[in-house]
Structure formats: structure tokens, C-alpha cells
């Protein structure tokens, strides 16, 4: 048996795994008290808002995949909301902008996370809302140990909060001091927000009816009103280095709700793999699987240069297609069938040579050539453009990698076989000032739109931004169901690709596949301000053999060797048809944990 940093957990009662040990423990406590996977996931999600406020928040985004035990395939819950009615290219261009700032009020879309959690809880959970929110309220009221990374993020912005975002200073700088790592941190405003919401729906009879009443309070009641009131007058400094007024209104919030949709799927190596739609990054992983469908991956060393090179080059091609052709299918024509076809994958595979590519190569699809040309033009334009200099640029960073992108993730399976994979994000403390009185900031997902007309990712009212958030499911040849995912912005489907391919082709268990050395490329148009591109870049952990690293350099990769155990925050759970459950979590950053029995 190969050594792993932790055991792969196994049992028959339940498994929870997330990017914070407290959230995993909260989820398991729900299962222990008779709740199902959906009850546990929602309780975990709200707890993560408190435990990792630098990585997600209640006014953010929340795509989730659910797989009820009796269903043949999973379903997507879309908690990625749309651009407000006032978010037009003309309006943003009139502000003197050529990119949407990565922080501040212009970067905000309608908050989607809360309603998505409520939709899951109403239709699939069993617990009352008050019971599900109780752990998050208790931690917000009584305190949670402050993570070192969160304390560092606050410290870096402390003076800016005091000078420019005083509503954030009031929450994140208690007694006007930077919270210390490990010290108990309270967010009484957030606790009071949830307590008031519960009080306003307390007299509503019926679990489902009460949850719908809470959704209405959020989108049309005091929470929406507080946001609307503030947005009417607030002008705040953002990543552009200037102060801007936002466009989100209470009417925008009242007009949107989370929804269900079918997952996309491809078959690879006898496995069926499921991802979100083209408004997400999820199809990147499916395209990689189709591109590599004919390669003898099982005969390759999973830590060898040939494997890393092939996967990296396939990822470059898939991400080029992401930039040219992905977007909201409800509001733009997406050539989905072509992009996910085996034939297209084989055409893309023919472009991969033994040398690392240094070109952005989107597919020139008939009728969509202009989108491919536009993606290449943008990459060249961005290379000449001066970066924004304002605060809070882009998504929270895994600073030890100097790579944009991080959020949170959770996976759950219960004794009945119900499963959840969710990637809550947005509403980070770095990205937007706290809404007065609510204890939570808005999101900045709109930065993924472009301010150019005619693209599937052009800014437009009512359109979803093409998010990076990417929860996942897979089913093995024996019927085993696996829920998995990771934070990491543009890296999410890169780390997931390595994990899944090692699971499918190299017989690794969940923990082995998570612990195996990871890699990713920034040879892509970054999703977050300042939208950089690093030709032929490849980051690899030093646990790869030196021969592998040297062979990758020799193949032309611009190799960056990361610090040990620093790339990726994968978590996963699985269920065999006979009821055996398994769980695993990454040791990286020393905070993710799986819990189960």
C-alpha cells in the first residue's frame, strides 16, 4: 500500500469532506442527528461563510451538484446569478473602464448563494431552517478560530479598510485591530442578520413554506433593502484605482432565483463524468477527457513527464476554447455538442506535439470563427495593457503560489446514498466592502465579463458570468459514485483532471489521488482581474521526481517549481453500490478534513 498523508476513510454511515475541519465536523454532526446529505451540506456551507470569510460569503455564488440516491444521474443547482439590469457595456465604458474592476461595487452580480442553498434545503433536505443555520450563528456570535491566511488578508488591507471601506473595518478590525491568527473572531452583525431572518419567518407554518418565506425575506425584505439603500449612495474605491457607484438594486434581487438544470456528461475509460454547463468552467474537464480518450494513460507513470505534458497540453487547448466559446447558454449560442464530442477531442489531440505550446489556440469552429479571433486578439491586447493598481484585485489568491484563485469546497454522502458536491465562493472580504449592518460583503463575479460586444461572455443584463466554479461527480464501471472538487479559480479543473485521471487509469484510491503531486498551467486567459496570460507556463510541486521536472523543462515548459504541498485543495467522497462509503481531503494548507464512519 502506498503511503498517504492521511488514511482514506471508510464506513457505511456517512462521510463529509470540506476545506475547513469545523465545517466537516458540523456536517457530520448533522448526519449523526438524523439529517441527510442536503441538510449537512447546507449547514456546512453557512459555517464556511464564518470560518473562511476571505474565501466565500453569503452574498456570493454557489454552484452545486446533487445526486439523490434513487436518481440515475446528478442534477446541477445553479446559484450563479446574473448581471443586474444596470450592468451594460455602455454604462461601464462611460466610467472610463476597459475591464471590469476585480473589486468594488461595479464587480457585483446578483447574490446567488443563499437562494441556491435554500432551494437545496427546501426540495431535498429534512431539517428546519433554524436548525441548519444554528452552527453558523453560534460561530458568528461566539467566535471561530481565525485562520492565519484570513488574518494575513485582513492585515494587508487594514489601512485601506480604515481609509476607504469603513464598513469593512467595522467588521474585520474589531477594536480597530487586526485579528490574530488562532484568536477567536466574532461577526455579531452576521449572527444578527440570520437571527432576524429566522425571527421574521418564525410564525410561518410548514418547513418548505418557511424556507420559501426566508428566500423572500432575503431577496425582497430587509436584506435586499439594506443592499438597495446602500448601493444608492455608496461610491467606493475599487481595483481600477478610482471610486465607483454600483448598479445592483433590490429589484434585481427580487427578480432572480436559483434553478435546476441537467449536468453535462462524457464517458471516459469506462467512467461517466458529470460537470456543470457552459456558464461554468466545468466543460474544460470534459474536453480534456475527450482529447486524451485515445492515449494509453494507464501505461504512463502518473508522476512522469509524459503524463504531465499530455494533460497540460490538453488543458491549454480546452482553456483556449473556454475563452472563445463558453458563456451563458440561456443568453448566447454555445457550440456545446461540437466542443464535447469525441471527434472534436481527436482533432484537438492532433495539435499536441512533444513540445510545449506557447500559443493560444482556440478552435476555429464554423460560424464561430469571430469568437476565436477575438480571444486571440484579447490575449495580445492584455499583454500590452497596464495592470490595474487599485486594491483587492481579482479573486483571493493562494499567495504561496502567486496564482489567482481560491474559494471553498465541500462533498457529502449519507447512509442512504444521497450525495452533494458544492463549490461556494464570492463575497470575499477582500473584494467588496461589507454592506452596513449585514456583516457580509457583496461578490465580484462580474469581473469575468468582457466589455466588448458580441461575445458569449460580453457584459449584459440578465446574463450569467462564465464562472470558474466547478463541482464534480463521476461514476465508475462498478457503479461507484464519486463527488469531488477543489477551490482554485482557473486551477479547479486542472487539479481535478490530475485527480480523476489517476483515479481512473492508475487505480489510486481517493487519498492517494489527492496526495499525488499536482501541477497546473497559467497558459490561459485568467478569469480574474488583471486577466493575465503566461505562455508555456507550468507549475509543478517538488514531489515530482527530478527527472520528470527536467524532462518538462527540456520539452519547452516554462517550469515553476512550487513550495512543497502547496498546489490544490481537493476533497472527495464516494459510495459503492454495496453501501461502502469513502472520504478523503487534502493535507495542503493544513485545514481541509474528511470525517466519517
Amino acid at each position: 500500500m502506498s503511503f498517504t498523508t492521511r488514511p482514506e476513510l471508510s464506513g457505511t454511515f456517512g462521510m463529509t469532506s470540506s476545506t475547513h475541519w469545523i465545517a466537516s465536523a458540523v456536517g457530520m454532526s448533522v448526519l449523526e442527528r438524523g439529517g441527510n446529505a442536503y441538510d449537512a451540506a447546507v449547514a456546512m456551507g453557512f459555517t464556511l461563510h464564518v470560518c473562511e470569510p476571505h474565501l466565500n460569503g453569503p452574498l456570493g455564488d454557489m454552484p452545486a451538484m446533487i445526486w439523490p440516491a434513487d436518481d440515475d444521474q446528478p442534477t446541477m443547482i445553479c446559484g450563479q446569478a446574473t448581471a443586474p439590469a444596470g450592468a451594460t457595456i455602455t454604462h461601464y465604458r462611460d466610467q472610463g473602464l476597459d475591464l471590469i474592476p476585480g473589486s468594488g461595487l461595479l464587480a457585483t452580480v446578483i447574490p446567488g448563494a443563499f437562494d441556491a442553498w435554500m432551494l437545496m434545503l427546501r426540495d431535498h433536505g429534512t431539517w428546519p431552517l433554524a436548525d441548519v443555520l444554528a452552527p453558523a450563528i453560534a460561530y458568528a456570535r461566539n467566535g471561530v478560530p481565525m485562520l492565519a491566511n484570513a488574518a494575513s488578508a485582513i492585515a494587508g488591507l487594514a489601512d485601506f479598510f480604515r481609509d476607504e471601506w469603513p464598513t469593512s473595518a467595522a467588521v474585520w478590525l474589531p477594536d480597530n485591530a487586526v485579528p490574530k491568527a488562532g484568536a477567536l473572531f466574532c461577526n455579531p452583525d452576521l449572527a444578527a442578520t440570520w437571527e432576524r431572518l429566522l425571527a421574521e419567518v418564525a410564525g410561518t407554518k410548514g418547513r418548505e413554506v418557511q424556507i420559501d418565506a426566508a428566500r423572500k425575506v432575503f431577496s425582497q425584505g430587509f436584506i435586499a433593502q439594506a443592499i438597495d439603500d446602500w448601493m444608492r449612495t455608496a461610491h467606493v474605491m475599487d481595483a481600477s484605482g478610482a471610486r465607483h457607484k454600483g448598479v445592483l438594486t433590490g429589484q434585481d434581487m427580487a427578480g432572480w432565483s436559483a434553478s435546476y438544470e441537467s449536468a453535462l456528461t462524457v464517458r471516459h475509460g469506462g467512467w461517466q463524468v458529470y460537470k456543470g454547463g457552459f456558464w461554468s468552467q466545468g466543460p474544460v474537464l470534459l474536453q480534456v477527457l475527450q482529447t486524451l480518450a485515445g492515449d494509453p494513460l494507464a501505461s504512463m507513470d502518473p508522476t512522469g513527464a509524459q503524463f504531465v505534458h499530455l494533460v497540460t497540453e490538453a488543458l491549454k487547448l480546452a482553456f483556449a476554447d473556454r475563452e472563445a466559446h463558453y458563456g451563458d447558454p440561456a443568453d448566447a449560442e454555445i457550440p456545446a455538442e461540437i466542443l464535447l464530442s469525441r471527434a472534436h477531442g481527436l482533432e484537438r489531440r492532433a495539435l499536441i506535439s512533444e513540445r510545449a505550446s506557447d500559443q493560444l489556440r482556440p478552435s476555429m469552429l464554423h460560424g464561430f470563427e469571430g469568437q476565436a479571433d477575438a480571444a486571440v486578439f484579447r490575449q495580445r491586447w492584455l499583454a500590452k495593457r497596464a495592470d490595474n493598481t487599485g486594491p483587492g484585485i481579482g479573486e483571493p489568491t493562494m499567495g504561496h503560489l502567486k496564482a489567482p484563485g481560491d474559494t471553498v469546497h465541500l462533498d457529502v454522502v449519507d447512509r442512504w446514498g444521497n450525495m452533494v458536491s458544492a463549490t461556494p465562493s464570492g463575497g470575499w472580504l477582500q473584494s467588496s466592502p461589507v454592506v452596513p449592518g449585514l456583516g457580509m460583503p457583496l461578490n465580484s463575479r462580474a469581473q469575468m465579463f468582457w466589455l466588448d460586444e458580441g461575445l458569449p461572455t460580453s457584459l449584459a443584463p440578465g446574463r450569467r458570468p462564465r464562472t470558474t466554479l466547478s463541482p464534480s461527480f463521476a461514476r465508475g464501471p462498478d457503479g461507484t459514485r464519486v463527488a469531488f472538487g477543489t477551490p482554485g479559480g482557473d486551477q479547479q479543473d486542472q487539479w481535478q483532471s490530475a485527480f480523476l485521471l489517476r483515479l481512473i487509469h492508475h487505480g489510486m484510491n481517493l487519498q492517494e489521488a489527492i496526495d499525488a503531486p499536482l501541477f497546473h498551467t497559467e497558459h490561459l486567459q485568467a478569469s480574474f482581474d488583471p486577466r493575465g496570460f503566461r505562455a508555456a507556463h507550468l507549475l509543478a510541486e517538488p514531489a515530482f521526481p527530478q527527472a520528470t521536472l527536467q524532462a518538462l523543462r527540456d520539452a519547452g515548459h516554462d517550469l515553476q517549481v512550487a513550495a512543497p504541498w502547496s498546489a490544490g485543495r481537493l476533497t472527495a467522497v464516494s459510495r459503492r453500490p454495496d453501501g461502502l462509503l469513502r472520504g478523503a481531503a487534502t493535507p495542503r494548507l493544513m485545514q481541509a478534513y474528511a470525517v466519517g464512519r
Side-chain angles (χ1 to χ4, degrees):
M1 181 178 68
S2 300
F3 173 81
T4 56
T5 59
R6 304 168 180 183
E8 181 193 56
L9 305 184
S10 59
T12 57
F13 181 80
M15 293 283 163
T16 66
S17 186
S18 82
T19 51
H20 197 289
W21 66 90
I22 289 178
S24 298
V26 163
M28 193 64 193
S29 76
V30 172
L31 298 182
E32 294 283 6
R33 290 178 287 156
N36 65 17
Y38 313 108
D39 301 316
V42 178
M44 293 167 73
F46 281 89
T47 299
L48 285 168
H49 295 157
V50 183
C51 293
E52 298 191 86
H54 58 313
L55 303 177
N56 76 134
L59 300 179
D61 330 283
M62 204 289 291
M65 298 183 78
I66 60 171
W67 201 336
D70 295 332
D71 287 2
D72 185 56
Q73 59 185 11
T75 297
M76 194 79 188
I77 294 179
C78 178
Q80 178 55 70
T82 59
T88 66
I89 289 176
T90 298
H91 177 74
Y92 281 56
R93 288 282 188 182
D94 286 347
Q95 309 301 306
L97 298 170
D98 55 9
L99 279 182
I100 297 176
S103 65
L105 302 182
L106 281 175
T108 296
V109 299
I110 300 167
F114 180 85
D115 201 67
W117 285 126
M118 293 301 100
L119 186 65
M120 183 189 300
L121 183 66
R122 184 196 69 183
D123 295 347
H124 301 278
T126 62
W127 273 27
L129 178 59
D131 291 349
V132 168
L133 286 179
I137 292 173
Y139 281 115
R141 176 69 65 192
N142 303 319
V144 65
M146 173 61 70
L147 289 171
N149 285 342
S152 177
I154 295 169
L157 288 167
D159 288 340
F160 174 76
F161 285 166
R162 295 183 183 106
D163 295 340
E164 297 287 351
W165 292 0
T167 58
S168 290
V171 172
W172 311 121
L173 300 172
D175 299 322
N176 199 30
V178 175
K180 295 181 179 179
L184 288 179
F185 177 82
C186 303
N187 189 341
D189 284 353
L190 180 59
T193 295
W194 297 142
E195 289 166 346
R196 179 177 173 183
L197 180 142
L198 291 174
E200 292 198 9
V201 302
T204 307
K205 302 299 182 182
R207 193 187 75 89
E208 292 84 1
V209 177
Q210 187 180 83
I211 292 170
D212 275 338
R215 298 171 74 189
K216 189 172 182 180
V217 169
F218 184 91
S219 64
Q220 302 176 45
F222 78 95
I223 293 176
Q225 188 63 55
I227 293 170
D228 186 90
D229 289 346
W230 189 56
M231 295 289 280
R232 289 177 185 274
T233 59
H235 289 73
V236 306
M237 182 69 70
D238 60 35
S240 71
R243 295 179 181 86
H244 291 106
K245 186 175 181 292
V247 297
L248 178 67
T249 68
Q251 186 174 354
D252 292 317
M253 293 181 62
W256 181 87
S257 59
S259 59
Y260 295 106
E261 60 184 60
S262 299
L264 300 178
T265 185
V266 302
R267 192 162 183 82
H268 178 90
W271 288 62
Q272 202 72 34
V273 183
Y274 301 89
K275 298 292 290 188
F278 279 90
W279 54 269
S280 78
Q281 185 174 271
V284 163
L285 174 55
L286 302 183
Q287 285 197 247
V288 167
L289 296 178
Q290 295 290 55
T291 299
L292 300 179
D295 283 286
L297 297 173
S299 66
M300 299 179 191
D301 179 352
T303 63
Q306 185 183 17
F307 176 81
V308 175
H309 173 77
L310 272 179
V311 175
T312 299
E313 295 304 299
L315 283 163
K316 291 178 184 179
L317 295 171
F319 275 104
D321 279 351
R322 182 195 73 171
E323 280 313 301
H325 302 301
Y326 289 21
D328 187 352
D331 199 51
E333 185 181 0
I334 310 297
E337 288 190 15
I338 296 174
L339 291 171
L340 296 184
S341 69
R342 181 66 60 86
H344 181 71
L346 292 175
E347 289 178 7
R348 300 295 272 168
R349 176 63 180 86
L351 298 177
I352 298 176
S353 72
E354 295 181 357
R355 297 290 300 172
S357 171
D358 61 1
Q359 301 296 309
L360 183 70
R361 298 184 289 177
S363 298
M364 299 297 291
L365 304 178
H366 179 67
F368 298 90
E369 295 90 348
Q371 293 175 189
D373 289 338
V376 174
F377 174 81
R378 285 197 307 274
Q379 184 256 312
R380 293 170 180 165
W381 169 70
L382 287 165
K384 300 176 183 178
R385 180 184 181 275
D387 287 348
N388 285 337
T389 57
I393 290 174
E395 194 179 30
T397 60
M398 298 181 75
H400 52 290
L401 294 182
K402 301 190 184 306
D406 205 13
T407 178
V408 301
H409 184 80
L410 64 89
D411 301 299
V412 188
V413 58
D414 64 28
R415 62 186 127 161
W416 302 286
N418 303 301
M419 302 181 76
V420 178
S421 175
T423 312
S425 188
W428 316 294
L429 66 84
Q430 306 95 310
S431 65
S432 192
V434 169
V435 180
L438 297 185
M440 45 185 158
L442 288 161
N443 64 78
S444 56
R445 192 63 59 178
Q447 66 184 290
M448 296 184 174
F449 287 116
W450 295 103
L451 296 179
D452 300 303
E453 300 284 0
L455 306 173
T457 47
S458 298
L459 177 67
R463 176 178 281 183
R464 287 174 288 187
R466 193 274 304 145
T467 182
T468 54
L469 306 174
S470 194
S472 304
F473 271 109
R475 179 173 56 209
D478 65 351
T480 295
R481 299 178 178 185
V482 184
F484 61 99
T486 176
D490 293 318
Q491 286 76 50
Q492 289 184 33
D493 284 287
Q494 303 196 55
W495 297 329
Q496 290 185 48
S497 293
F499 165 83
L500 184 62
L501 290 170
R502 288 162 171 167
L503 208 67
I504 293 174
H505 295 286
H506 301 109
M508 294 186 183
N509 68 35
L510 298 180
Q511 194 65 50
E512 288 172 331
I514 286 173
D515 282 357
L518 288 172
F519 57 94
H520 71 254
T521 181
E522 292 177 36
H523 179 108
L524 48 81
Q525 287 183 356
S527 298
F528 299 95
D529 186 2
R531 312 299 296 264
F533 177 91
R534 297 179 63 184
H537 170 266
L538 175 61
L539 179 144
E541 290 186 307
F544 280 103
Q546 286 300 309
T548 296
L549 299 176
Q550 187 57 52
L552 292 169
R553 291 188 187 97
D554 293 342
H557 294 280
D558 180 11
L559 188 67
Q560 174 188 357
V561 180
W565 297 103
S566 61
R569 295 176 67 198
L570 287 153
T571 69
V573 300
S574 69
R575 184 183 188 274
R576 277 192 342 206
D578 64 1
L580 181 67
L581 311 178
R582 299 186 187 276
T586 183
R588 298 167 175 91
L589 299 194
M590 299 184 292
Q591 63 184 64
Y593 262 91
V595 181
R597 68 174 179 85

